[in-house]
Amino acid sequence: MRLLSHLPAFFLLLHLPLSLAYTPLSDHSLTHLAPSLSIHTSSLVPDHDFDPVHGALLAPILRPRVPGTEGHARVQEHFAAFVRAHLHPSWRVEWHNTTATTPATGSEPVPFRNLILRRDPPWRTPAQAGGPGKGEGHVARLTLAAHYDSLYRPEGFVGAVDSAVPCALLLYVARAVDAALTRKWEGRTVEDAALEDEDEVDKGVQILLLDGEEAWVKWTDEDSLYGSRALAEAWENTAYEPGSRFSTPLEAISLFVLLDLLGAPQPTIPSYFPKTHWAYRSLGSVEARLRKLGLLETKPRTPFLADSAKESVQFQGYVLDDHIPFMKRGVDVLHVIPTPFPAVWHTMQDDGEHLDLPTIRDWARIMTGFVAEWMDLEGYLPEPETGPTSGTGEKDEL
Ligand SMILES: [Zn+2]
């Protein structure tokens, strides 16, 4: 009893000094969040990013990618090539490599590789931070995660909603907010940052493309979550330099947002955790505002994030997924996964043909808006391209 009564106070002390501003975007900024609606409603051109056959972000992931196989390696190459081609050079790319045996593969160890993409404010990156206690241990990171491995059986399983689409969405979001982050952080130093917002913690963003989420034979604590279990443990045991605001990379996670099973039509995402219902509501408010502004393509009977109408939620149970090893260690989690699961879940029908592109593009818009608000990018989002126009309606249609 005593221990329990002390717990809330302890958590309060731990969390109070973290002043995390969250700045809603103006209607103007929301309107200019890509992907632009007009492109997709008035043309027969395949979706540039998310078309299952031609889309530059998604198509390369839509293949069997069982850890240790050729398809798995090709998807890793796709991620690395995407970062080189589309993200600012200050993104740090880190592979977290482990091996483990699985019940399906005997004594031969299987390689698991988590990919960590991280962008911190430039005055907190190791090369420029200068001096003890001024480096990366001071950055609270919004952490966006999805798993990229696919099921071992049935053979040939592609896992489009599970979780190729969530991975493609995270790449999309990184690219969509990247230029605004550059503009926001350009030319600022650690001294400027300290002067401007004394109590505010520096915010970074990281994307985790996790490996080995799937069970190889049957879901157990040992046969599942190979990548996320190894990463959470490693981060718990990595100490930042003394004097840092956070003691480990695990503690530096401000919110762990896990996307899974997205891309099927009519998703219903419950708010799973009372503790992060506020963050769920922020995400739901982005959805509601985009809908009101006519900026989403889907017209569902209920919003994707229908629980955001509720002031609070009761804990009703949760889905076992990559957040578990982090949540067990005290990390705040927002789990963006539908209940019920899409009908195609863990069947051969979970492929490109069964995806709903308007739903995927709406997720891209909603997630981009949420990340832009979290990172306080109001005023830094790109203006729409204003190239020379002919003044004729037909030409604009192209
Ligand atoms: Zn799965």
Side-chain angles (χ1 to χ4, degrees), residues 63-220:
R63 59 189 310 147
R65 46 193 186 283
V66 174
T69 63
E70 169 70 16
H72 189 242
R74 296 279 287 275
V75 172
Q76 292 167 349
E77 283 160 24
H78 165 57
F79 294 149
F82 170 84
V83 176
R84 282 193 301 272
H86 298 290
L87 297 187
H88 191 272
S90 66
W91 281 83
R92 217 160 85 199
V93 178
E94 198 181 304
W95 290 97
H96 174 254
N97 302 323
T98 54
T99 60
T101 55
T102 83
T105 49
S107 57
E108 187 68 26
V110 175
F112 295 101
R113 304 185 79 202
N114 299 313
L115 177 58
I116 301 139
L117 308 175
R118 178 180 294 163
R119 188 166 186 196
D120 286 344
W123 59 90
R124 293 301 190 191
T125 52
Q128 297 172 49
K134 295 195 169 174
E136 55 177 338
H138 284 254
V139 183
R141 298 189 188 92
L142 175 62
T143 301
L144 309 164
H147 78 87
Y148 74 90
D149 62 304
S150 65
L151 269 181
Y152 175 62
R153 293 285 182 272
E155 210 166 330
F157 175 84
V158 160
V161 304
D162 185 13
S163 236
V165 168
C167 290
L169 285 168
L170 294 187
L171 300 182
Y172 180 91
V173 170
R175 192 186 61 192
V177 300
D178 206 24
L181 284 173
T182 304
R183 271 191 285 277
K184 182 180 164 77
W185 288 340
E186 229 161 38
R188 291 176 86 214
T189 63
V190 67
E191 288 80 19
D192 295 339
L195 282 176
E196 281 166 28
D197 21 47
E198 218 167 291
D199 295 326
E200 200 175 306
V201 68
D202 287 326
K203 284 195 259 192
V205 60
Q206 65 188 351
I207 286 171
L208 311 182
L209 296 163
L210 297 167
D211 201 2
E213 186 266 353
E214 301 285 8
W216 291 63
V217 174
K218 184 173 171 281
W219 189 285
T220 64

Side-chain angles (χ1 to χ4, degrees), residues 270-274 314-320 339:
S271 179
Y272 294 96
F273 304 114
Q314 301 284 316
F315 178 74
Q316 311 227 340
Y318 54 88
V319 181
L320 297 179
T339 295

